[in-house]
Amino acid sequence: MGAFSIWHWLIVLVVLFFIFGLPLLGVINENSEKRATRREFLYWVIAYFGGAYLIQILGDLTGSIEIAYPVSVIFVLAIAYPFYQRVVRRSRDAGMGKKIAYISVIPIVYFVCFLILLIKPSKEQPYEDVFA
């Protein structure tokens, strides 16, 4: 095995873009004033993690686990952009800024961030904002 060539590094950069870039793009581009309730956010969390897990279970049951793993990765990457937009909406509803959404892009830390967003109740809106 030799050293990494330029093509290896290019593939690594593309993979890193898809793993970290899509969630960051979702966080950056969410500028609407929409909010997501805890229930809606819970549905997205279940779809995000449960969908990939379900694909892998189905692949294991059918005996095609070597196909199921890449399909589950593609599923997670495909749903990452809208999921992280919902993270921003939920953090807005909980009274937090986009900071927790940026922090949730870091692997392992996102479990804590999602738990905080699932537990924290919605921030009350002023009466003028609701009926304006």
Side-chain angles (χ1 to χ4, degrees):
M1 303 222 28
F4 271 18
S5 69
I6 190 72
W7 296 108
H8 290 103
W9 287 112
L10 185 63
I11 291 170
V12 168
L13 287 177
V14 168
V15 168
L16 286 177
F17 168 75
F18 280 111
I19 291 173
F20 295 108
L22 287 176
L24 283 174
L25 284 175
V27 172
I28 291 169
N29 291 334
E30 174 53 49
N31 293 323
S32 69
E33 293 301 317
K34 296 180 181 177
R35 295 170 170 247
T37 61
R38 281 193 286 185
R39 178 176 288 170
E40 180 186 350
F41 185 65
L42 177 64
Y43 293 153
W44 275 92
V45 169
I46 290 170
Y48 190 67
F49 294 112
Y53 187 67
L54 183 67
I55 290 170
Q56 289 184 0
I57 288 175
L58 290 174
D60 193 27
L61 290 175
T62 59
S64 58
I65 194 68
E66 61 275 353
I67 296 173
Y69 182 72
V71 170
S72 66
V73 169
I74 291 170
F75 171 79
V76 167
L77 291 177
I79 200 172
Y81 184 82
F83 175 73
Y84 276 91
Q85 286 184 327
R86 296 323 182 275
V87 171
V88 172
R89 291 178 186 180
R90 175 64 193 133
S91 65
R92 187 178 300 130
D93 185 55
M96 302 172 166
K98 280 188 173 182
K99 291 179 185 176
I100 195 165
Y102 283 116
I103 293 171
S104 69
V105 174
I106 301 170
I108 308 299
V109 177
Y110 58 80
F111 288 120
V112 176
C113 294
F114 297 159
L115 282 175
I116 290 170
L117 290 174
L118 285 171
I119 293 171
K120 188 162 179 167
S122 297
K123 182 180 175 189
E124 295 294 325
Q125 290 181 332
Y127 183 77
E128 298 83 28
D129 290 347
V130 175
F131 295 105

